[in-house]
Amino acid sequence: MNFFKKIIKTIQPDQPVALTAVTRTEQIEGFSIPGIILNMQYHFTDLQVYSDGLISCWGMVDLPMFKNKLSKSWVVTSIPDGQTISIFSLGSWVIENGAWDYDEESFYAYVKKLIKTLNPTLENLYNYNGENYKMIGKSSVAKHSSLNSKPYYYDNPDSFLSKRNEGEKFHIFYRNDDTKTYLAELSLYKTGKIEITNLPVKKTFKFEEIKDLIQNEKLITELNTGEKITILGLGSFTVKSGSGVDITAKYNEFEDKYSELNGTENSISKCARIFDAYKLDPSFKLKQELKEAYEKVPEHQRMFVGDMDTKDYEVRQIIYGDSIKKEWEDHYGFEYPYDDMPEPEK
């Protein structure tokens, strides 16, 4: 008995002790649904709805905050005729004959129903109590990241040991077998599997088949005037005017991402890396490498080789010279501010 008491006496939970800090990662299931953000103009986007009650709408919010986003028209359910729909990395179009599925109240009910589908008892839903940021020192930091979600599939969904494959997703137009044109989502995986969703029935292809889909005008980026576009779960409209990115450039974007998923440096990262190397050691050799790398970046993505302010102006100034300064000044109406790029020295 004395020995047992001695052991118990040594276990003192309130005794000061340096503990190891640990974290755990948890996968939260969700749905990606079409939505519209009104920020200066109407942006088509993916709204991500998760089982813990959080919704990503250019920032993570809980259900009460999402309701507020709807009431303040940050998230909207329709686009007025004559306005432009902007679709990131795809294009922008003036619309007419809009027919929309939801109003503010019914869209909120739809999102809540999706959460209940994922979490039938609505247990352990997050409540930010009106504030989705926290202070770390003097900086305001989001409580939860709203980085893009990843599409996934399981090799064998019925097996406990099934491998989960994550990919990347893109917006694209798809001319379906029912003769309708859909604003769809194309998911691309390392394995070469392609899924096209936001259709009445999901389509599955291999990466090698993308060129045939483009050749047969099933996958498109340019729309005809008067063409009716259907966005399942949101509505439809007809095209009055506008333009999309070049379909070849879009294919190059798919190819670039496919290579990246399989371990190859993507074209934007490669260009940015050579740009940094050139600034440290401005040589004719690196200038030529920079030119080759820049021109392999899909055209509609070249603005991302710099930061949000400089875009690709500095890179193009190195490659193409002072004509870029004039282009800037003609576009923005004031003096080119980045005139400090070094000339090659050797």
Side-chain angles (χ1 to χ4, degrees):
M1 178 64 76
N2 289 339
F3 179 73
F4 179 73
K5 286 182 178 179
K6 185 176 180 181
I7 292 175
I8 295 297
K9 190 175 180 181
T10 64
I11 304 174
Q12 300 179 20
D14 57 345
Q15 182 176 344
V17 58
L19 300 175
T20 301
V22 297
T23 64
R24 65 188 177 91
T25 300
E26 185 176 2
Q27 289 181 342
I28 307 297
E29 301 294 331
F31 293 120
S32 174
I33 65 172
I36 305 165
I37 301 288
L38 177 54
N39 181 25
M40 306 291 286
Q41 65 184 107
Y42 294 90
H43 299 271
F44 177 81
T45 190
D46 299 319
L47 302 181
Q48 294 141 34
V49 181
Y50 293 99
S51 61
D52 57 6
L54 295 184
I55 301 109
S56 177
C57 51
W58 290 17
M60 201 73 84
V61 298
D62 60 19
L63 266 171
M65 294 175 76
F66 182 69
K67 196 169 193 177
N68 188 50
K69 293 288 187 184
L70 282 163
S71 67
K72 292 188 173 179
S73 296
W74 172 259
V75 177
V76 296
T77 59
S78 62
I79 301 174
D81 288 354
Q83 295 295 314
T84 299
I85 182 171
S86 175
I87 308 172
F88 176 72
S89 200
L90 192 57
S92 59
W93 291 267
V94 178
I95 75 159
E96 57 187 1
N97 303 319
W100 305 98
D101 296 343
Y102 295 99
D103 58 17
E104 178 185 322
E105 184 177 344
S106 60
F107 193 65
Y108 175 79
Y110 168 55
V111 168
K112 189 171 182 179
K113 183 179 179 181
L114 289 176
I115 294 172
K116 195 165 185 177
T117 300
L118 295 161
N119 181 355
T121 60
L122 296 179
E123 291 182 314
N124 301 318
L125 297 184
Y126 269 103
N127 187 336
Y128 282 144
N129 294 309
E131 184 54 74
N132 58 354
Y133 285 83
K134 59 185 176 182
M135 296 304 297
I136 298 181
K138 295 183 178 180
S139 300
S140 181
V141 179
K143 290 179 180 177
H144 289 90
S145 169
S146 59
L147 294 175
N148 286 338
S149 59
K150 302 290 185 183
Y152 70 92
Y153 75 93
Y154 287 102
D155 286 340
N156 182 1
D158 297 325
S159 169
F160 179 73
L161 299 176
S162 180
K163 181 182 177 183
R164 178 186 172 106
N165 298 276
E166 291 190 348
E168 296 287 346
K169 52 190 174 66
F170 308 83
H171 296 132
I172 195 73
F173 294 108
Y174 187 82
R175 288 189 175 131
N176 198 31
D177 304 332
D178 59 7
T179 72
K180 293 182 179 179
T181 301
Y182 292 89
L183 177 48
E185 196 158 83
L186 184 151
S187 297
L188 166 63
Y189 298 94
K190 174 182 179 177
T191 58
K193 181 176 182 176
I194 300 290
E195 293 180 332
I196 302 178
T197 50
N198 288 3
L199 302 175
V201 178
K202 177 171 69 176
K203 302 285 187 180
T204 303
F205 301 99
K206 296 178 180 178
F207 183 80
E208 295 76 19
E209 296 177 277
I210 291 182
K211 283 186 176 180
D212 287 338
L213 292 170
I214 291 172
Q215 181 68 32
N216 295 328
E217 297 188 344
K218 301 286 279 183
L219 281 181
I220 58 172
T221 53
E222 288 284 6
L223 302 171
N224 298 324
T225 300
E227 188 166 4
K228 183 177 179 179
I229 306 303
T230 299
I231 310 174
L232 286 181
L234 204 58
S236 64
F237 60 86
T238 55
V239 174
K240 186 176 181 180
S241 61
S243 63
V245 303
D246 179 75
I247 189 63
T248 301
K250 195 67 184 176
Y251 174 78
N252 291 341
E253 183 185 354
F254 297 151
E255 192 172 47
D256 200 24
K257 182 58 66 175
Y258 183 45
S259 296
E260 181 188 341
L261 288 169
N262 282 279
T264 301
E265 182 180 35
N266 71 44
S267 61
I268 296 173
S269 297
K270 181 177 181 179
C271 184
R273 174 176 57 79
I274 297 172
F275 177 44
D276 288 339
Y278 176 88
K279 287 186 288 185
L280 292 173
D281 180 24
S283 65
F284 285 104
K285 179 176 180 293
L286 283 173
K287 178 179 176 179
Q288 182 59 33
E289 287 181 14
L290 182 62
K291 182 176 186 295
E292 291 171 3
Y294 175 77
E295 291 177 351
K296 286 182 179 177
V297 176
E299 271 188 67
H300 59 291
Q301 293 192 303
R302 290 176 181 175
M303 68 179 74
F304 301 122
V305 299
D307 59 34
M308 289 182 66
D309 296 320
T310 64
K311 298 183 173 61
D312 59 345
Y313 279 98
E314 291 179 314
V315 170
R316 290 195 294 131
Q317 183 191 348
I318 292 168
I319 297 170
Y320 306 120
D322 288 346
S323 62
I324 305 306
K325 299 180 191 178
K326 185 176 186 308
E327 180 186 324
W328 168 284
E329 289 162 2
D330 289 345
H331 181 77
Y332 290 103
F334 59 88
E335 188 176 353
Y336 182 73
Y338 308 116
D339 196 12
D340 57 355
M341 289 296 100
E343 293 289 335
E345 297 174 356
K346 53 186 177 179

